[in-house]
Amino acid sequence: MAYAAFRSIGAYAPSKILTNEELSAMVDTSDDWITKRTGIKERRIAAKDETTSDMGVKAALKALERSGIEKSEIDMVICATISPDYFCMPSTAAIIATKLGIKNATAFDISAACTGFVYILSIAKAFIESGMKRNILIIGAEKLSAITDYTDRGTCILFGDGAGAAVISATEDKDEAIIDVHTGADGEYADLLMTPNGGSGSAHDALEGEAAGCFMQMKGNETFKVAVRTLTKDVVDILATNNIASSEIKHFVPHQANYRIIKAVGDALELKEEQVVLTVHKYGNTSGASIPMAINEIYENGKLLKGELMLLDAFGGGLTWGSALVPFSPLK
Ligand code: ACO
């Protein structure tokens, strides 16, 4: 049987930094409030003409180069995004594949908001284990600044732009294999976090003149409570199912939405500070890009070594959630 191995990671963050001080000049907020309530100090903002696919390509090039797998061997490209280059079509994954020179691979996007990267990891794992594909490029890429309302202090302080990518490939060695991925969703909570206009769910005449409805809206406090509950249950479940103790996790890589959420989940699992990967202070919430950007951070700092076990945990609009137990299994 083929197993799926997590071979490599890459990420890209735009150079423009938007600080809390700069946001304080745009809306009624302060560095002190944002830091205390979220842990965020700054976030990155893509250039006007820089698209989600442009960022995805930069992250993917790094992941490919580090993977030891040729572009010509990639047989599937999946992108997790809620800020695609184009509404509906073509998919951002198809654009990324073409910009990379990957020909004839299956390419598609998925929409699971901040849980997107865990969802595409589970899809890649399933396709490889079924024998249908062997080398899959997965990308989480977001230009959230394009769908953020910079007059709404409840959301604009949270979000940033960026991309992360990984190569997942087939192995016969069970020790290299992704151990498990759990995903779930509950549309009962859809209204907690949404872009209300712009789809078939909105009246057509509402589209004209109501561009603001295409921006993200969030009931932050309610979302916060569901997030802590769901994220904690999710990681407790995946560890119990696989009979793994939290002390065996080398790197806990949670979705980077809010330091207080990460701290609550980390405490519930009795994780030590050095087990928890944090990038929320420098990138804010980059939705589907957040987990691969955080993995890249430990990789580039020399902290992610062959065989080390990562626990991924995400939560986002939908509502969606997911967790994964992933050993790092580079080929080189
Ligand atoms: N600056 C100053 N004051 C503010 C700001 C701000 N930026 N935003 C809200 N406030 C005020 C509110 O108006 C409120 O004032 P009031 O008490 O006078 O009414 C007060 O601060 C408290 O507001 P809350 O919303 O209760 O603040 P909270 O502590 O919950 O923090 C936050 C808000 C940061 C949004 C938090 O709720 C959160 O992180 N939520 C979860 C986000 C998340 O995980 N989303 C899912 C992933 S995102 C995705 O899928 C795309």
Side-chain angles (χ1 to χ4, degrees):
M1 176 188 165
Y3 299 105
F6 192 104
R7 297 298 190 197
S8 66
I9 189 73
Y12 167 78
S15 56
K16 183 178 160 29
I17 293 172
L18 179 63
T19 63
N20 290 350
E21 284 78 12
E22 287 168 297
L23 276 167
S24 305
M26 293 158 67
V27 289
D28 182 13
T29 190
S30 64
D31 173 46
D32 188 53
W33 192 96
I34 302 171
T35 306
K36 279 195 185 128
R37 299 283 180 130
T38 71
I40 302 168
K41 295 299 284 181
E42 56 188 42
R43 63 291 290 144
R44 301 298 178 94
I45 302 295
K48 243 195 172 94
D49 60 352
E50 190 172 35
T51 62
T52 296
S53 68
D54 291 335
M55 293 187 278
V57 164
K58 287 184 177 146
L61 279 170
K62 282 194 187 157
L64 282 165
E65 183 195 306
R66 293 166 179 170
S67 71
I69 290 163
E70 296 299 319
K71 268 192 254 182
S72 57
E73 296 176 273
I74 298 291
D75 45 18
M76 180 178 266
V77 179
I78 322 173
C79 182
T81 186
I82 52 167
S83 47
D85 284 16
Y86 301 102
F87 178 52
C88 299
M89 59 185 168
S91 72
T92 304
I95 298 169
I96 291 173
T98 300
K99 285 181 178 171
L100 288 169
I102 294 174
K103 301 260 183 235
N104 302 319
T106 307
F108 60 95
D109 293 352
I110 65 107
S111 166
C114 304
T115 317
F117 190 76
V118 178
Y119 267 61
I120 55 180
L121 189 68
S122 79
I123 296 168
K125 178 175 182 289
F127 266 98
I128 289 171
E129 287 176 353
S130 73
M132 288 176 73
K133 301 288 178 188
R134 287 196 65 81
N135 301 297
I136 304 183
L137 173 62
I138 60 173
I139 306 135
E142 300 286 9
K143 187 174 180 176
L144 294 181
S145 59
I147 57 165
T148 295
D149 178 357
Y150 285 97
T151 66
D152 173 17
R153 69 178 183 173
T155 53
C156 74
I157 57 148
L158 300 171
F159 299 110
D161 301 334
V167 175
I168 314 297
S169 81
T171 179
E172 308 306 316
D173 181 353
K174 200 168 182 209
D175 290 340
E176 288 190 335
I178 296 170
I179 297 168
D180 200 3
V181 189
H182 286 186
T183 51
D186 186 351
E188 288 288 329
Y189 293 101
D191 69 323
L192 288 190
L193 189 49
M194 68 190 312
T195 51
N197 284 357
S200 62
S202 62
H204 202 65
D205 53 6
L207 291 180
E208 287 143 31
E210 274 198 42
C214 298
F215 293 146
M216 285 179 284
Q217 296 177 7
M218 182 170 68
K219 296 176 183 166
N221 193 266
E222 288 167 61
T223 309
F224 186 99
K225 288 174 199 152
V226 185
V228 173
R229 204 167 57 230
T230 309
L231 283 166
T232 307
K233 180 179 180 317
D234 208 27
V235 282
V236 167
D237 284 355
I238 199 168
L239 288 172
T241 306
N242 293 283
N243 209 13
I244 290 174
S246 61
S247 56
E248 294 174 65
I249 302 301
K250 182 73 184 173
H251 307 284
F252 174 53
V253 192
H255 169 48
Q256 308 284 318
N258 185 319
Y259 175 69
R260 289 188 294 139
I261 298 177
I262 296 170
K263 175 95 174 68
V265 179
D267 287 351
L269 286 180
E270 296 180 350
L271 293 174
K272 296 198 182 88
E273 214 171 287
E274 60 267 25
Q275 288 174 283
V276 181
V277 180
L278 279 177
T279 56
V280 67
H281 55 291
K282 52 195 279 197
Y283 298 133
N285 179 348
T286 57
S287 190
S290 130
I291 285 182
M293 287 174 83
I295 298 173
N296 185 67
E297 194 80 4
I298 47 172
Y299 176 80
E300 290 194 349
N301 289 337
K303 289 186 188 158
L304 178 61
L305 304 177
K306 190 177 176 122
E308 289 182 345
L309 184 58
M310 296 183 278
L311 171 61
L312 317 185
D313 194 18
F315 174 88
L319 293 177
T320 54
W321 58 87
S323 56
L325 284 163
V326 184
F328 184 52
S329 306
L331 284 172
K332 56 177 192 179

